[in-house]
Amino acid sequence: RRAAARVLGPSCCAMASSSGGAAATAAAAAARPGAQLAQTPDGLTLGEDFPYVCEVCLGPNPYVRMLKMPNSRECKISGRPYTAFRWKPGSEARYKETIVAAEVAIAKNVCQVCLMDMEYNLPVAVRDQLTGAGKGGERGVGGVQMPGSDVNKEFYWENQRQSLAAGTLQGYQELNAGGGAASVG
């Protein structure tokens, strides 16, 4: 399969202009209260044309060459094929790649690469314990109990994908209305 390369300009993301490399990126991540969602360029669809990632994963370079690999990877959570993205955030950084599907990341409000919460910049397990959402099993969009069997998971994530395509996914609606990171409630 061939991957199409796309060069994104400085208008594609609202990043800090620090040029200290990986150490500066890690220091910037530790200094800020929460992760910010990278701005989606005009005319691109979130999840299909641009990944749902935080600014830390995108890196300090405003010019990012991103490889788009349609239906090339299997989501680590839903098990469904998704459009993967791969890029090198800085000159001395390693390549980063999306590991979960966009509908999963938006539904759970996590970065597709580092799986950190987009609002609080915490690991998902810590966030769920602090907010009390971790009690009684895994919860999805709107506090709905996540399905347990493979067939039900497939049905659930297909419905999430259709909701994302129609623009009616709960986290996606909050993201568009608020202009920032969506919160799963």
Side-chain angles (χ1 to χ4, degrees), residues 5-24:
R6 179 183 303 233
V7 177
L8 302 175
S11 65
C12 72
C13 52
M15 292 184 291
S17 61
S18 63
S19 60

Side-chain angles (χ1 to χ4, degrees), residues 63-77:
Y63 300 99
V64 177
R65 188 179 334 162
M66 192 171 284
L67 297 174
K68 176 182 174 184
M69 301 170 281
N71 294 325
S72 64
R73 301 279 191 267
E74 181 180 337
C75 177
K76 304 293 185 194
I77 296 175

Side-chain angles (χ1 to χ4, degrees), residues 101-138:
E103 63 267 12
V104 173
I106 292 172
K108 293 182 176 285
N109 195 28
V110 296
C111 175
Q112 276 186 275
V113 177
C114 63
L115 298 181
M116 299 286 272
D117 182 64
M118 295 296 277
E119 188 173 351
Y120 302 112
N121 198 24
L122 292 171
V124 179
V126 174
R127 175 199 67 183
D128 290 344
Q129 284 181 347
L130 291 176
T131 59
K135 299 173 184 150
E138 189 177 351

Side-chain angles (χ1 to χ4, degrees), residues 3 28 44 52-53 65-67 114 146 149 152:
L44 297 181
Y52 188 71
V53 294
R65 188 179 334 162
M66 192 171 284
L67 297 174
C114 63
M146 293 293 292
S149 71
N152 286 342

Side-chain angles (χ1 to χ4, degrees), residues 29-181:
R32 65 169 200 245
Q36 297 292 319
L37 174 66
Q39 297 291 323
T40 305
D42 292 337
L44 297 181
T45 306
L46 187 64
E48 286 301 317
D49 296 324
F50 195 77
Y52 188 71
V53 294
C54 61
E55 289 181 2
V56 174
C57 290
L58 210 49
N61 187 1
Y63 300 99
V64 177
R65 188 179 334 162
M66 192 171 284
L67 297 174
K68 176 182 174 184
M69 301 170 281
N71 294 325
S72 64
R73 301 279 191 267
E74 181 180 337
C75 177
K76 304 293 185 194
I77 296 175
S78 68
R80 299 176 51 82
Y82 72 99
T83 300
F85 295 91
R86 186 171 190 230
W87 67 95
K88 194 171 185 180
S91 61
E92 296 179 8
R94 62 175 178 80
Y95 277 94
K96 294 204 177 217
E97 186 173 338
T98 56
I99 59 174
V100 296
E103 63 267 12
V104 173
I106 292 172
K108 293 182 176 285
N109 195 28
V110 296
C111 175
Q112 276 186 275
V113 177
C114 63
L115 298 181
M116 299 286 272
D117 182 64
M118 295 296 277
E119 188 173 351
Y120 302 112
N121 198 24
L122 292 171
V124 179
V126 174
R127 175 199 67 183
D128 290 344
Q129 284 181 347
L130 291 176
T131 59
K135 299 173 184 150
E138 189 177 351
R139 299 283 176 180
V141 177
V144 175
Q145 181 73 27
M146 293 293 292
S149 71
D150 291 339
V151 173
N152 286 342
K153 283 182 184 178
E154 182 72 23
F155 179 74
Y156 177 81
W157 289 115
E158 179 61 31
N159 286 340
Q160 294 297 320
R161 178 183 296 267
Q162 290 173 359
S163 296
L164 177 63
T168 59
L169 185 63
Q170 182 179 358
Y172 188 70
Q173 287 176 336
E174 294 170 5
L175 178 69
N176 286 339

